[in-house]
Amino acid sequence: RESARTLFLWEGTTNYLSEPAVDATLRWCARAAAGSRLLFTYVHRDILTRPETFFGWQRLFASLERSGERFSFGMDPREVPAYLALRGLELESDEGGAEFRARYYGEAARGLRGHEFYRVALARVRGTAESAPGGPAESAPGGAAGARA
């Protein structure tokens, strides 16, 4: 049913895609019923351009190289609200590693470090497909998965 709200869970994917693939997937998600939600992960753009600013980056990049992977897409958290708005989505929350560790581990999180570049965002569909400038893609590219809520 096109009127049913949907929860899209899109994790561990955006950082391996191209910008056009991320753009098309977000526009596709924005075609869902108003009030639908998209929970997704992304990496801070600086891990691509200034990795030395993040604790443990050498180990991460070595691990990615051993598995034949590399990050290809990231976003600056300050730009995410506008980026999503242009695609028909409204950002509801956006947290990095330190914030979600504090939320779930409390005081124990104070001694934990690493993956501060990794972020979890929740966005809401504002309206119909027409609200996303440029129009949505016909099908979900990049492996987006959806489940009816």
Side-chain angles (χ1 to χ4, degrees):
R1 298 177 318 173
E2 293 198 16
S3 62
R5 286 184 299 181
T6 302
L7 170 65
F8 297 96
L9 177 58
W10 192 29
E11 60 182 324
T13 307
T14 62
N15 40 290
Y16 298 109
L17 298 177
S18 66
E19 194 281 330
V22 172
D23 174 66
T25 302
L26 292 172
R27 290 179 189 279
W28 180 83
C29 290
R31 293 175 53 198
S36 292
R37 300 284 196 293
L38 167 64
L39 182 64
F40 68 101
T41 58
Y42 72 95
V43 297
H44 193 297
R45 181 182 301 137
D46 285 354
I47 194 67
L48 302 171
T49 60
R50 299 181 319 132
E52 68 281 357
T53 62
F54 295 99
F55 174 79
W57 72 272
Q58 299 99 331
R59 187 174 177 183
L60 168 71
F61 280 30
S63 176
L64 288 171
E65 187 170 323
R66 279 192 305 276
S67 63
E69 298 177 352
R70 64 182 276 285
F71 289 164
S72 55
F73 179 81
M75 293 187 280
D76 183 324
R78 296 170 298 190
E79 298 171 1
V80 170
Y83 186 83
L84 293 174
L86 287 172
R87 288 149 184 88
L89 299 164
E90 180 179 344
L91 183 66
E92 292 190 346
S93 67
D94 184 356
E95 294 185 344
E99 293 93 357
F100 57 75
R101 279 195 301 270
R103 177 189 298 237
Y104 295 108
Y105 294 114
E107 283 298 310
R110 289 176 29 152
L112 301 175
R113 288 181 53 193
H115 287 82
E116 273 71 24
F117 60 87
Y118 206 72
R119 305 195 59 88
V120 178
L122 178 64
R124 180 180 61 80
V125 174
R126 289 191 320 228
T128 64
E130 291 75 32
S131 68
E138 285 301 310
S139 61
R148 294 287 176 199

